[in-house]
Amino acid sequence: AGTSGSNGTASADELLIVDGNHLARKVFHRHEKRPLQTTDGTPTSVTHGFVSDLLKLLRQQQQRPKALAVVFDSNGPTWR
C-alpha cells in the first residue's frame, strides 16, 4: 500500500499511496457482524475503521512520508 524503501517502510522523501477501495472494503467486512453506529443509527464503521487503519499505517512508518495519497477507483468499469 505505497512506495517503500528497501526495509518496507516509507522514507521521509517518499509518497505513500494507499488503495482507498481496498482499505474501505477490508474495514467494511471487519465490522460487518458488529457495525458501529451513532445513537441515531448513522453507520460509522467504515469511517472510523478507515481513519484508524490509515493512522496505524502512518505510525508504522519509521519516518513520515513527505506526501500521502489515498486513491479510489473511478466511477464506472475498471480492470479489477
Side-chain angles (χ1 to χ4, degrees):
T3 61
S4 60
S6 60
N7 63 357
T9 59
S11 69
D13 61 346
E14 290 182 319
L15 167 64
L16 181 63
I17 302 171
V18 177
D19 181 339
N21 284 82
H22 173 75
L23 183 57
R25 190 174 301 111
K26 183 176 86 166
V27 169
F28 172 79
H29 289 293
R30 183 184 328 144
H31 293 282
E32 200 168 13
K33 293 186 181 187
R34 294 187 58 201
L36 302 173
Q37 58 188 14
T38 62
T39 54
D40 69 355
T42 303
T44 59
S45 299
V46 175
T47 304
H48 178 269
F50 191 94
V51 172
S52 294
D53 282 10
L54 193 55
L55 291 173
K56 180 180 176 183
L57 177 65
L58 287 170
R59 281 192 300 269
Q60 290 173 344
Q61 305 304 309
Q62 288 181 343
Q63 295 181 11
R64 285 229 167 120
K66 187 174 185 177
L68 169 70
V70 180
V71 295
F72 294 89
D73 291 344
S74 62
N75 187 14
T78 66
W79 58 269
R80 289 191 200 216

